[in-house]
Amino acid sequence: MKDLIEYIAKSLVDHPEEVQVRQSGGGTRVRIELSVLKDDMGRVIGKSGKVANSIRTLLRVAAEREGKQATLDVMEP
């Protein structure tokens, strides 16, 4: 799941080398933190949060396939 978020984020931003993804939690609950440069934050969040919500939906589906629950937090650098 971490790799999925990293791939999506790097595809969206102007500075893919600055994308950082951290995964925490155990068992059936997973928390993923995504951090990008301040200049790229708008690309990841999108207008009215639509891009971020779409990424969260993809993450949720990927997690359910593995029998888990996942959340995504977009963090400021």
Coordinates of all heavy atoms in Angstrom, one line a residue:
M1 N 0.8 -1.2 0.0 CA 0.0 0.0 0.0 C 0.9 1.3 0.0 O 0.5 2.2 -0.7 CB -0.9 0.0 1.2 CG -2.1 -1.0 1.1 SD -3.1 -1.0 2.5 CE -2.2 -2.0 3.6
K2 N 2.0 1.2 0.7 CA 2.9 2.3 0.8 C 3.4 2.6 -0.6 O 3.5 3.8 -1.1 CB 4.0 2.0 1.7 CG 5.1 3.1 1.8 CD 6.2 2.6 2.7 CE 7.3 3.6 2.6 NZ 8.5 3.2 3.4
D3 N 3.7 1.6 -1.4 CA 4.3 1.7 -2.7 C 3.2 2.3 -3.7 O 3.6 3.1 -4.5 CB 4.7 0.4 -3.3 CG 5.9 -0.2 -2.5 OD1 6.6 0.5 -1.9 OD2 6.0 -1.5 -2.5
L4 N 2.0 2.0 -3.5 CA 0.9 2.6 -4.3 C 0.8 4.1 -4.1 O 0.8 4.8 -5.1 CB -0.4 1.9 -3.9 CG -1.7 2.5 -4.6 CD1 -1.7 2.3 -6.1 CD2 -3.0 1.9 -4.0
I5 N 0.8 4.5 -2.8 CA 0.7 5.9 -2.5 C 1.9 6.7 -3.0 O 1.8 7.8 -3.6 CB 0.5 6.1 -1.0 CG1 -0.8 5.5 -0.5 CG2 0.5 7.6 -0.7 CD1 -2.0 5.9 -1.3
E6 N 3.1 6.1 -2.9 CA 4.3 6.7 -3.4 C 4.3 6.8 -4.9 O 4.7 7.9 -5.4 CB 5.5 5.9 -2.9 CG 6.8 6.5 -3.2 CD 8.0 5.8 -2.6 OE1 7.8 4.8 -1.8 OE2 9.1 6.1 -3.0
Y7 N 3.8 5.8 -5.6 CA 3.8 5.9 -7.0 C 2.8 7.0 -7.5 O 3.1 7.8 -8.4 CB 3.3 4.5 -7.6 CG 3.1 4.5 -9.1 CD1 4.2 4.5 -10.0 CD2 1.8 4.6 -9.6 CE1 4.0 4.5 -11.3 CE2 1.6 4.6 -11.0 CZ 2.7 4.5 -11.8 OH 2.5 4.6 -13.2
I8 N 1.6 7.0 -6.9 CA 0.6 8.0 -7.3 C 1.2 9.4 -7.0 O 1.1 10.3 -7.9 CB -0.7 7.8 -6.5 CG1 -1.4 6.5 -7.0 CG2 -1.7 9.0 -6.7 CD1 -2.5 6.1 -6.1
A9 N 1.7 9.6 -5.8 CA 2.2 11.0 -5.4 C 3.3 11.4 -6.4 O 3.3 12.6 -6.8 CB 2.7 11.0 -4.0
K10 N 4.3 10.6 -6.6 CA 5.4 10.9 -7.5 C 4.9 11.2 -8.9 O 5.5 12.0 -9.6 CB 6.4 9.8 -7.5 CG 7.3 9.8 -6.3 CD 8.3 8.7 -6.3 CE 9.2 8.8 -5.1 NZ 10.3 7.8 -5.2
S11 N 3.8 10.6 -9.3 CA 3.3 10.9 -10.7 C 2.6 12.3 -10.7 O 2.5 12.9 -11.8 CB 2.2 9.8 -11.1 OG 2.8 8.6 -11.1
L12 N 2.2 12.8 -9.6 CA 1.4 14.0 -9.6 C 2.3 15.3 -9.4 O 2.0 16.3 -9.9 CB 0.4 14.0 -8.4 CG -0.8 13.1 -8.6 CD1 -1.5 13.0 -7.3 CD2 -1.6 13.5 -9.7
V13 N 3.4 15.2 -8.7 CA 4.2 16.3 -8.3 C 5.3 16.7 -9.3 O 5.7 15.9 -10.1 CB 4.8 16.1 -6.9 CG1 3.7 15.9 -5.8 CG2 5.8 15.0 -6.9
D14 N 5.8 18.0 -9.1 CA 6.9 18.4 -9.9 C 8.2 18.0 -9.4 O 9.2 17.9 -10.1 CB 6.9 20.0 -10.0 CG 5.8 20.5 -10.8 OD1 5.3 19.8 -11.8 OD2 5.3 21.6 -10.6
H15 N 8.3 17.7 -8.1 CA 9.5 17.3 -7.4 C 9.4 15.9 -6.8 O 9.3 15.7 -5.6 CB 9.9 18.3 -6.3 CG 10.0 19.7 -6.9 ND1 11.1 20.1 -7.6 CD2 9.2 20.7 -6.8 CE1 10.9 21.4 -7.9 NE2 9.8 21.8 -7.5
P16 N 9.4 14.8 -7.6 CA 9.1 13.5 -7.1 C 10.2 13.0 -6.1 O 9.9 12.2 -5.2 CB 9.1 12.6 -8.3 CG 9.7 13.4 -9.4 CD 9.6 14.8 -9.1
E17 N 11.4 13.6 -6.2 CA 12.5 13.1 -5.3 C 12.2 13.6 -3.8 O 12.8 13.1 -2.9 CB 13.8 13.7 -5.8 CG 14.0 15.2 -5.7 CD 13.3 16.0 -6.8 OE1 12.8 15.3 -7.8 OE2 13.4 17.2 -6.8
E18 N 11.3 14.5 -3.6 CA 11.0 15.0 -2.3 C 9.7 14.3 -1.7 O 9.3 14.7 -0.6 CB 10.7 16.5 -2.4 CG 11.9 17.3 -2.8 CD 13.1 17.3 -1.8 OE1 12.8 17.1 -0.6 OE2 14.2 17.3 -2.3
V19 N 9.2 13.4 -2.3 CA 8.0 12.7 -1.8 C 8.5 11.7 -0.7 O 9.4 10.9 -0.9 CB 7.2 11.9 -2.9 CG1 6.2 11.0 -2.4 CG2 6.6 12.9 -3.9
Q20 N 7.8 11.8 0.4 CA 8.1 10.9 1.5 C 6.8 10.2 2.0 O 5.8 10.8 2.2 CB 8.7 11.6 2.7 CG 10.1 12.2 2.4 CD 10.6 13.0 3.6 OE1 10.0 13.1 4.6 NE2 11.9 13.4 3.4
V21 N 6.9 8.9 2.1 CA 5.7 8.1 2.5 C 6.1 7.2 3.7 O 7.1 6.5 3.6 CB 5.2 7.2 1.4 CG1 4.0 6.4 1.9 CG2 4.8 8.0 0.2
R22 N 5.4 7.4 4.8 CA 5.7 6.6 6.0 C 4.4 5.7 6.3 O 3.3 6.3 6.3 CB 6.0 7.4 7.2 CG 7.4 8.1 7.0 CD 7.7 9.0 8.2 NE 6.9 10.2 8.2 CZ 7.1 11.2 7.4 NH1 8.0 11.2 6.4 NH2 6.3 12.3 7.5
Q23 N 4.6 4.5 6.7 CA 3.5 3.6 7.0 C 3.7 3.2 8.5 O 4.8 2.8 8.9 CB 3.5 2.4 6.1 CG 2.4 1.4 6.4 CD 2.3 0.4 5.3 OE1 2.6 0.6 4.2 NE2 1.9 -0.8 5.7
S24 N 2.6 3.2 9.2 CA 2.7 2.8 10.6 C 1.4 2.0 11.0 O 0.5 2.0 10.2 CB 2.8 4.0 11.6 OG 1.7 4.9 11.4
G25 N 1.4 1.5 12.1 CA 0.3 0.6 12.6 C 0.6 -0.8 12.3 O 1.5 -1.2 11.6
G26 N -0.3 -1.6 12.9 CA -0.1 -3.0 12.7 C -1.4 -3.8 12.7 O -2.5 -3.1 12.9
G27 N -1.4 -5.0 12.5 CA -2.6 -5.8 12.4 C -3.5 -5.4 11.2 O -3.0 -5.4 10.1
T28 N -4.7 -5.1 11.5 CA -5.6 -4.8 10.4 C -5.7 -3.3 10.1 O -6.4 -2.9 9.2 CB -7.0 -5.3 10.7 OG1 -7.5 -4.8 11.9 CG2 -7.0 -6.9 10.8
R29 N -5.1 -2.5 10.9 CA -5.2 -1.0 10.8 C -3.8 -0.5 10.3 O -2.8 -0.7 11.0 CB -5.7 -0.3 12.0 CG -7.1 -0.6 12.4 CD -7.6 0.3 13.5 NE -9.0 0.2 13.5 CZ -9.8 1.1 13.0 NH1 -9.3 2.2 12.4 NH2 -11.1 1.0 13.1
V30 N -3.9 0.3 9.3 CA -2.6 0.9 8.7 C -2.8 2.4 8.6 O -3.9 2.8 8.1 CB -2.3 0.3 7.4 CG1 -1.1 0.9 6.8 CG2 -2.1 -1.2 7.5
R31 N -1.8 3.2 8.9 CA -1.9 4.6 8.7 C -0.7 5.0 7.8 O 0.5 4.6 8.1 CB -1.7 5.3 10.1 CG -1.7 6.8 9.9 CD -1.7 7.5 11.3 NE -1.8 9.0 11.1 CZ -1.0 9.8 11.7 NH1 -0.2 9.4 12.7 NH2 -1.2 11.1 11.5
I32 N -1.0 5.7 6.8 CA 0.0 6.2 5.9 C 0.1 7.7 5.9 O -0.9 8.4 5.8 CB -0.2 5.6 4.4 CG1 -0.2 4.1 4.5 CG2 0.7 6.2 3.4 CD1 -0.4 3.5 3.1
E33 N 1.3 8.2 6.0 CA 1.5 9.7 6.0 C 2.3 10.0 4.8 O 3.3 9.4 4.5 CB 2.4 10.1 7.2 CG 1.7 9.9 8.5 CD 2.5 10.3 9.7 OE1 3.7 10.6 9.5 OE2 2.0 10.3 10.9
L34 N 1.8 11.0 4.0 CA 2.4 11.4 2.8 C 2.8 12.8 3.0 O 2.1 13.7 3.4 CB 1.3 11.4 1.6 CG 1.7 12.0 0.3 CD1 2.9 11.3 -0.3 CD2 0.6 12.0 -0.6
S35 N 4.1 13.1 2.6 CA 4.7 14.4 2.8 C 5.3 14.8 1.4 O 6.1 14.0 0.8 CB 5.8 14.4 3.9 OG 6.4 15.6 4.0
V36 N 5.0 16.0 1.0 CA 5.5 16.5 -0.3 C 5.9 18.0 0.0 O 5.6 18.6 1.0 CB 4.5 16.5 -1.5 CG1 4.1 15.1 -1.8 CG2 3.3 17.3 -1.2
L37 N 6.7 18.5 -1.0 CA 7.1 19.9 -0.9 C 5.8 20.8 -0.8 O 4.8 20.5 -1.4 CB 7.9 20.4 -2.1 CG 9.4 19.9 -2.1 CD1 10.1 20.5 -3.3 CD2 10.1 20.4 -0.8
K38 N 6.0 22.0 -0.2 CA 4.9 22.9 -0.1 C 4.4 23.3 -1.5 O 3.2 23.5 -1.7 CB 5.3 24.2 0.7 CG 4.2 25.0 1.2 CD 4.7 26.0 2.2 CE 3.5 26.5 3.0 NZ 3.9 27.1 4.2
D39 N 5.3 23.5 -2.4 CA 4.9 23.9 -3.8 C 4.0 22.8 -4.5 O 3.2 23.1 -5.3 CB 6.1 24.1 -4.7 CG 7.0 25.3 -4.2 OD1 6.5 26.1 -3.4 OD2 8.1 25.4 -4.6
D40 N 4.2 21.6 -4.1 CA 3.4 20.5 -4.7 C 2.2 20.1 -3.9 O 1.4 19.2 -4.4 CB 4.3 19.2 -4.8 CG 5.4 19.4 -5.8 OD1 5.2 20.1 -6.9 OD2 6.5 18.8 -5.7
M41 N 2.0 20.7 -2.8 CA 0.8 20.4 -1.9 C -0.5 20.5 -2.7 O -1.4 19.7 -2.6 CB 0.8 21.2 -0.7 CG -0.1 20.7 0.4 SD 0.4 19.2 1.1 CE 1.4 19.7 2.4
G42 N -0.7 21.5 -3.5 CA -1.9 21.7 -4.2 C -2.2 20.7 -5.2 O -3.3 20.3 -5.5
R43 N -1.1 20.1 -5.8 CA -1.3 19.0 -6.8 C -1.8 17.7 -6.1 O -2.6 17.0 -6.7 CB 0.0 18.7 -7.5 CG 0.5 19.9 -8.4 CD 1.8 19.5 -9.1 NE 2.2 20.5 -9.9 CZ 1.9 20.7 -11.2 NH1 1.0 19.8 -11.7 NH2 2.3 21.6 -11.9
V44 N -1.4 17.5 -4.9 CA -1.7 16.3 -4.2 C -3.1 16.4 -3.6 O -3.9 15.5 -3.6 CB -0.7 16.0 -3.1 CG1 -1.2 14.8 -2.2 CG2 0.6 15.6 -3.7
I45 N -3.5 17.6 -3.1 CA -4.8 17.8 -2.5 C -5.8 18.1 -3.5 O -6.9 17.5 -3.4 CB -4.7 19.0 -1.5 CG1 -3.8 18.6 -0.3 CG2 -6.1 19.3 -1.0 CD1 -3.5 19.7 0.7
G46 N -5.5 18.9 -4.5 CA -6.5 19.1 -5.6 C -7.5 20.2 -5.2 O -7.6 20.6 -4.1
K47 N -8.3 20.5 -6.2 CA -9.4 21.5 -5.9 C -10.4 20.9 -5.0 O -11.0 19.8 -5.3 CB -10.0 21.9 -7.3 CG -10.7 23.2 -7.3 CD -11.1 23.6 -8.7 CE -10.9 25.1 -8.8 NZ -11.1 25.6 -10.1
S48 N -10.7 21.6 -4.0 CA -11.7 21.1 -3.0 C -11.4 19.7 -2.4 O -12.2 19.0 -2.0 CB -13.1 21.1 -3.6 OG -13.5 22.3 -4.0
G49 N -10.1 19.3 -2.5 CA -9.7 18.1 -1.9 C -10.0 16.8 -2.7 O -9.9 15.7 -2.3
K50 N -10.4 17.0 -4.0 CA -10.8 15.9 -4.8 C -9.7 14.9 -5.1 O -10.0 13.7 -5.1 CB -11.5 16.4 -6.1 CG -12.8 17.1 -5.9 CD -13.5 17.5 -7.2 CE -14.8 18.2 -6.9 NZ -15.5 18.5 -8.1
V51 N -8.5 15.4 -5.4 CA -7.4 14.5 -5.7 C -7.1 13.6 -4.4 O -6.9 12.4 -4.5 CB -6.2 15.2 -6.2 CG1 -5.0 14.3 -6.4 CG2 -6.5 15.9 -7.5
A52 N -7.0 14.3 -3.3 CA -6.7 13.6 -2.0 C -7.7 12.5 -1.7 O -7.4 11.4 -1.3 CB -6.5 14.6 -0.9
N53 N -9.0 12.9 -1.9 CA -10.1 12.0 -1.7 C -10.0 10.8 -2.6 O -10.3 9.6 -2.3 CB -11.4 12.6 -1.8 CG -11.7 13.5 -0.6 OD1 -11.1 13.3 0.5 ND2 -12.5 14.5 -0.7
S54 N -9.6 11.0 -3.9 CA -9.5 9.9 -4.8 C -8.4 9.0 -4.4 O -8.5 7.8 -4.5 CB -9.2 10.5 -6.2 OG -10.3 11.2 -6.7
I55 N -7.2 9.5 -4.0 CA -6.1 8.7 -3.5 C -6.6 7.9 -2.3 O -6.3 6.7 -2.2 CB -4.9 9.6 -3.1 CG1 -4.4 10.3 -4.4 CG2 -3.8 8.8 -2.5 CD1 -3.3 11.4 -4.1
R56 N -7.3 8.5 -1.4 CA -7.8 7.8 -0.2 C -8.7 6.6 -0.6 O -8.7 5.5 0.0 CB -8.6 8.7 0.7 CG -7.6 9.6 1.5 CD -8.4 10.5 2.5 NE -7.5 11.3 3.2 CZ -7.3 12.6 3.1 NH1 -8.1 13.3 2.2 NH2 -6.4 13.3 3.8
T57 N -9.6 6.8 -1.7 CA -10.4 5.8 -2.1 C -9.6 4.6 -2.7 O -9.9 3.5 -2.4 CB -11.4 6.3 -3.2 OG1 -12.2 7.4 -2.6 CG2 -12.3 5.3 -3.8
L58 N -8.6 4.9 -3.5 CA -7.8 3.8 -4.0 C -7.1 3.1 -2.9 O -7.0 1.9 -3.0 CB -6.7 4.4 -5.0 CG -7.3 5.0 -6.3 CD1 -6.2 5.7 -7.1 CD2 -7.8 3.8 -7.2
L59 N -6.6 3.8 -1.9 CA -5.9 3.2 -0.8 C -6.9 2.3 0.0 O -6.5 1.2 0.3 CB -5.4 4.3 0.2 CG -4.7 3.7 1.4 CD1 -3.5 2.9 1.1 CD2 -4.3 4.9 2.3
R60 N -8.1 2.8 0.2 CA -9.1 2.0 0.9 C -9.4 0.6 0.2 O -9.5 -0.4 0.8 CB -10.4 2.8 1.0 CG -11.1 2.6 2.4 CD -12.2 3.5 2.6 NE -11.8 4.9 2.6 CZ -12.3 5.9 1.9 NH1 -13.3 5.7 1.0 NH2 -11.8 7.1 2.0
V61 N -9.5 0.7 -1.1 CA -9.8 -0.5 -1.9 C -8.6 -1.5 -1.9 O -8.8 -2.7 -1.7 CB -10.1 -0.1 -3.4 CG1 -10.1 -1.3 -4.3 CG2 -11.4 0.6 -3.5
A62 N -7.4 -0.9 -2.0 CA -6.2 -1.8 -1.9 C -6.1 -2.4 -0.5 O -5.8 -3.6 -0.4 CB -5.0 -1.0 -2.2
A63 N -6.4 -1.7 0.5 CA -6.4 -2.2 1.9 C -7.4 -3.3 2.1 O -7.2 -4.4 2.7 CB -6.6 -1.1 2.9
E64 N -8.6 -3.1 1.6 CA -9.7 -4.1 1.7 C -9.3 -5.4 1.0 O -9.7 -6.5 1.5 CB -11.0 -3.5 1.2 CG -11.6 -2.5 2.1 CD -13.0 -2.0 1.6 OE1 -13.6 -2.6 0.7 OE2 -13.4 -0.9 2.1
R65 N -8.6 -5.3 -0.1 CA -8.2 -6.5 -0.8 C -7.3 -7.4 0.1 O -7.2 -8.6 -0.1 CB -7.5 -6.2 -2.1 CG -8.4 -5.7 -3.1 CD -7.7 -5.5 -4.4 NE -8.6 -5.7 -5.5 CZ -8.2 -5.8 -6.7 NH1 -6.9 -5.7 -7.0 NH2 -9.0 -6.1 -7.7
E66 N -6.6 -6.7 1.0 CA -5.7 -7.4 1.9 C -6.3 -7.7 3.3 O -5.7 -8.1 4.2 CB -4.4 -6.6 2.1 CG -3.6 -6.5 0.9 CD -2.3 -5.7 1.1 OE1 -1.9 -5.5 2.2 OE2 -1.7 -5.3 0.1
G67 N -7.6 -7.3 3.4 CA -8.3 -7.5 4.7 C -7.9 -6.5 5.7 O -8.0 -6.8 6.9
K68 N -7.6 -5.3 5.3 CA -7.1 -4.3 6.3 C -7.9 -3.0 6.1 O -8.7 -2.9 5.1 CB -5.6 -4.0 6.1 CG -4.7 -5.2 6.3 CD -3.3 -4.8 6.1 CE -2.4 -6.0 6.3 NZ -1.0 -5.7 6.2
Q69 N -7.7 -2.1 7.0 CA -8.3 -0.7 6.9 C -7.1 0.2 6.9 O -6.2 0.1 7.7 CB -9.2 -0.4 8.1 CG -10.4 -1.2 8.2 CD -11.3 -0.9 9.4 OE1 -10.8 -0.3 10.4 NE2 -12.5 -1.2 9.3
A70 N -7.2 1.2 6.0 CA -6.1 2.1 5.9 C -6.6 3.6 5.9 O -7.6 3.9 5.3 CB -5.3 1.8 4.6
T71 N -5.8 4.5 6.4 CA -6.1 5.9 6.4 C -4.8 6.6 5.8 O -3.7 6.2 5.9 CB -6.4 6.5 7.8 OG1 -5.3 6.2 8.6 CG2 -7.6 5.9 8.3
L72 N -5.1 7.7 5.1 CA -4.0 8.5 4.5 C -4.1 9.9 5.1 O -5.1 10.6 5.1 CB -4.2 8.6 3.0 CG -3.2 9.5 2.3 CD1 -1.8 9.0 2.4 CD2 -3.6 9.7 0.8
D73 N -2.9 10.4 5.6 CA -2.8 11.8 6.1 C -1.8 12.5 5.2 O -0.7 12.0 5.0 CB -2.3 11.8 7.5 CG -3.4 11.2 8.5 OD1 -4.6 11.4 8.2 OD2 -3.0 10.6 9.5
V74 N -2.2 13.6 4.7 CA -1.2 14.4 3.9 C -0.6 15.5 4.9 O -1.3 16.3 5.4 CB -1.9 15.1 2.7 CG1 -0.9 16.0 1.9 CG2 -2.6 14.1 1.8
M75 N 0.7 15.4 5.1 CA 1.4 16.2 6.0 C 2.1 17.3 5.4 O 2.6 17.2 4.3 CB 2.4 15.3 6.8 CG 1.8 14.0 7.3 SD 0.5 14.2 8.5 CE 1.5 14.6 9.9
E76 N 2.2 18.4 6.1 CA 3.0 19.5 5.6 C 4.5 19.2 6.0 O 4.8 18.7 7.0 CB 2.6 20.9 6.3 CG 1.4 21.5 5.6 CD 1.3 22.9 6.0 OE1 2.3 23.7 6.0 OE2 0.2 23.3 6.4
P77 N 5.4 19.6 5.1 CA 6.8 19.3 5.3 C 7.4 20.1 6.5 O 6.9 21.0 6.9 CB 7.5 19.7 4.0 CG 6.6 20.6 3.3 CD 5.2 20.3 3.8

